[in-house]
Amino acid sequence: MSAPSPQRPVRTRIAPSPTGFLHLGTARTALYSWAFARHHGGQFVLRIEDTDVARSTQDSVEQILASMAWLGLDYDEGPIYQMQRLDRYHAVVRRMLQEGSAYRCYATPAELDAMREAQRERGEKTRYDGTWRPEPGKTLPPVPAGVQPVVRLRNPLDGDVRWDDLVKGPISISNREIDDLILLRPAEGDDPQALGIPTYNFAVVVDDHDMGITHVFRGDEHVNNTPWQINIFQALGAPLPQFGHVPVILGDDGQKLSKRRGAVSVTAYEEAGYLPEAMLNYLARLGWSHGDDELFSREQMVAWFDGSHLAKSPAQWDPAKLAWVNAQYLKQASDERLAALVAAQLARRPAPVPSDPTLQAAAALFKDRCSTVVELADWVSVLSVRAEPPADELALHLTPAAVDALRDLRDRLAAVDWDKPTLSAAIKAVTTTHGLKMPQVAIPLRLLLTGRAQTPSIDALLTLFARHTVLERLQHL
Ligand code: GLU
């Protein structure tokens, strides 16, 4: 096995298939690949693996690009589309056919099915039986008419494929376990020399080679593909990248995180009001550690991420921890930025969006109690849309004495200056006049204004509201 060349400049890539949104697992390997390249002053490439023509869509490509941009994972090259590189794969296959490291196989799907069935009956592992594999002195069957061939790798029969995985450590697979992989699917039409669409394992190697990729981080569902890929690299005489296979992300039920078990796309978290830096921080920690650090910036991640300390065991998706991380970043976010994010959330609702400076002041006041921008928008929305208080809480707190005090307060609020000290003084005066304690007035007032018994301080809260809104919400008393 050719050793990775330490002289090659570090180049990493992420290679999503545009058959859906950017999956959280792919976002995490994109982050690792990006951070590794940035750490080493190298380059990061985005490649779109769109050879599954039936399932790839332009919409997915756009979602993936948007998610990469949202996360701030900037790439130095790309997006490079595999379907625009067919000529290149064909040229490589022609060379391999000439050199004898690949061959045409005319087995029909029906023959392959029968072959596998017979192997199953004999209790053998199913594999291609090598009928069309050229060997010295072997006579191949006559080429059947009307069958478009596939091209297969002439995989070595003996020896082991070994690599030192950046995550899993040394791995070794015997070539006897591996059959002759299909490199190209049959071409459309009748020309038996025509070449079709490459399979994942072939295109990925041609691309990783052509793009000078030195380190491949990807999900460990690809571990079983790597021996084939290494054999293709070797057939091409190409230097091997280093591989790091990152364990899957599990849902909270211990099963692989999947659509059926909740949101799995980056887009869904953006819509649910998570901040990109929180997602990056959380995704980074999910499968990698730097001591006990839980919160760190992109710059710190780049400084620390050298490919070590990647966890060998699967990480568990923890929505509560993600919410906590997001809450920490919300507290740090500027009011101006949060106001814009809240405005974007509220714009999707049938409610008027408060304008600045109220919006920024509201973001500042409520952000400490929120885990997401959606929760923050829920708070801000009460400024313009009345939220019904829970009946039991209202019954408990809106006592006859509180009603009297709030009527009195309403009358005073009709005339006072609308600033925090004056509003605070008005509430205190009413409380004293009616012989009540502060919560006996403040809690029912909170309920009537926001639908909630617990809010930030009542005077700060009042300043956010327009006077006429407060008077309206106390009108029916
Ligand atoms: N298109 C493959 C995937 O999305 C890429 C795997 C790789 O990184 O090699 O799983």
Side-chain angles (χ1 to χ4, degrees):
M1 162 176 135
S2 49
S5 156
Q7 282 82 41
R8 291 204 289 160
V10 167
R11 283 175 57 95
T12 63
R13 58 24 169 219
I14 189 70
S17 303
T19 54
F21 296 102
L22 187 67
H23 187 280
L24 295 169
T26 312
R28 184 181 57 161
T29 37
L31 169 61
Y32 292 163
S33 306
W34 172 87
F36 188 81
R38 296 286 171 260
H39 177 86
H40 289 285
Q43 293 191 313
F44 173 56
V45 178
L46 172 64
R47 184 167 75 225
I48 302 289
E49 300 206 327
D50 54 354
T51 56
D52 184 346
V53 181
R55 293 173 60 227
S56 296
T57 66
Q58 187 55 32
D59 190 42
S60 292
V61 170
E62 275 153 29
Q63 300 279 359
I64 289 167
L65 298 183
S67 292
M68 294 287 289
W70 182 68
L71 290 170
L73 298 178
D74 54 319
Y75 32 91
D76 304 289
E77 279 172 34
I80 298 166
Y81 296 85
Q82 289 189 322
M83 286 305 283
Q84 294 175 6
R85 287 174 45 78
L86 290 183
D87 287 350
R88 172 65 184 149
Y89 308 126
H90 293 167
V92 174
V93 155
R94 281 197 193 93
R95 192 184 112 198
M96 291 175 77
L97 286 167
Q98 249 167 26
E99 291 173 355
S101 58
Y103 61 93
R104 289 194 164 86
C105 166
Y106 294 85
T108 61
E111 284 169 345
L112 291 172
D113 284 347
M115 181 192 305
R116 288 194 205 99
E117 194 46 48
Q119 287 166 339
R120 267 193 286 270
E121 271 169 24
R122 293 196 298 271
E124 293 169 12
K125 196 173 156 189
T126 57
R127 54 186 294 145
Y128 176 61
D129 68 359
T131 302
W132 290 94
R133 179 183 166 108
E135 299 291 358
K138 174 177 168 186
T139 309
L140 295 174
V143 171
V147 178
Q148 281 298 82
V150 300
V151 176
R152 287 186 185 268
L153 172 69
R154 193 167 175 280
N155 198 70
L157 294 174
D158 298 309
D160 296 327
V161 185
R162 297 168 196 276
W163 78 96
D164 196 3
D165 196 274
L166 289 165
V167 182
K168 293 177 180 293
I171 298 182
S172 169
I173 311 261
S174 164
N175 272 319
R176 285 178 226 278
E177 299 287 315
I178 310 169
D179 64 0
D180 286 354
L181 175 85
I182 295 178
L183 302 179
L184 287 185
R185 299 266 168 219
E188 306 277 324
D190 318 317
D191 176 1
Q193 297 300 306
L195 296 169
I197 293 184
T199 55
Y200 155 70
N201 277 304
F202 178 54
V204 86
V205 172
V206 175
D207 288 350
D208 285 342
H209 172 44
D210 286 356
M211 294 165 200
I213 301 303
T214 55
H215 297 79
V216 171
F217 293 94
R218 62 183 167 207
D220 69 359
E221 68 273 20
H222 289 293
V223 168
N224 292 337
N225 288 321
T226 305
W228 275 311
Q229 295 183 16
I230 289 178
N231 284 341
I232 300 171
F233 273 107
Q234 289 184 323
L236 300 180
L240 286 182
Q242 278 193 278
F243 296 97
H245 288 95
V246 183
V248 290
I249 303 174
L250 301 178
D252 44 18
D253 57 358
Q255 301 292 311
K256 191 176 169 194
L257 198 67
S258 74
K259 258 191 209 151
R260 275 179 293 129
R261 300 187 168 83
V264 292
S265 70
V266 172
T267 317
Y269 285 88
E270 180 184 358
E271 283 168 7
Y274 290 83
L275 298 178
E277 63 270 36
M279 285 308 283
L280 281 186
N281 189 147
Y282 178 74
L283 284 169
R285 248 326 256 109
L286 197 67
W288 172 78
S289 56
H290 180 265
D292 293 332
D293 290 307
E294 290 295 350
L295 296 173
F296 39 80
S297 65
R298 292 155 65 88
E299 290 70 28
Q300 284 171 312
M301 165 119 199
V302 167
W304 297 336
F305 193 86
D306 61 3
S308 59
H309 304 290
L310 283 163
K312 284 188 168 56
S313 45
Q316 190 143 9
W317 189 257
D318 181 349
K321 183 167 171 197
L322 171 60
W324 176 80
V325 172
N326 204 52
Q328 309 313 307
Y329 282 96
L330 276 182
K331 283 196 228 305
Q332 290 171 24
S334 76
D335 301 333
E336 197 182 349
R337 178 178 172 209
L338 290 179
L341 290 170
V342 166
Q345 281 287 344
L346 291 179
R348 299 182 198 166
R349 306 184 189 184
V353 182
S355 49
D356 275 333
T358 305
L359 194 51
Q360 281 196 41
L365 190 63
F366 296 128
K367 69 181 177 186
D368 283 354
R369 27 190 91 223
C370 297
S371 299
T372 66
V373 176
V374 170
E375 282 177 31
L376 187 54
D378 291 343
W379 272 107
V380 175
S381 70
V382 303
L383 299 180
S384 40
V385 181
R386 187 173 167 271
E388 195 60 50
D392 54 340
E393 295 206 47
L394 206 56
L396 185 67
H397 296 289
L398 194 60
T399 58
V403 170
D404 279 349
L406 289 175
R407 280 187 188 136
D408 185 358
L409 180 67
R410 182 183 64 202
D411 296 342
R412 291 174 196 240
L413 293 185
V416 292
D417 285 346
W418 205 256
D419 58 55
K420 201 169 144 186
T422 317
L423 291 167
S424 175
I427 298 168
K428 279 197 191 106
V430 165
T431 307
T432 318
T433 312
H434 291 259
L436 295 172
K437 297 206 170 72
M438 182 55 108
Q440 292 174 300
V441 178
I443 294 179
L445 181 55
R446 289 181 161 109
L447 280 167
L448 292 172
L449 289 178
T450 69
R452 311 191 200 209
Q454 271 148 23
T455 72
S457 78
I458 189 69
D459 47 1
L461 182 70
L462 274 172
T463 58
L464 295 179
F465 282 88
R467 185 199 309 266
H468 68 88
T469 308
V470 173
L471 298 182
E472 256 164 48
R473 291 189 194 175
L474 301 180
Q475 197 52 48
H476 65 285
L477 290 173

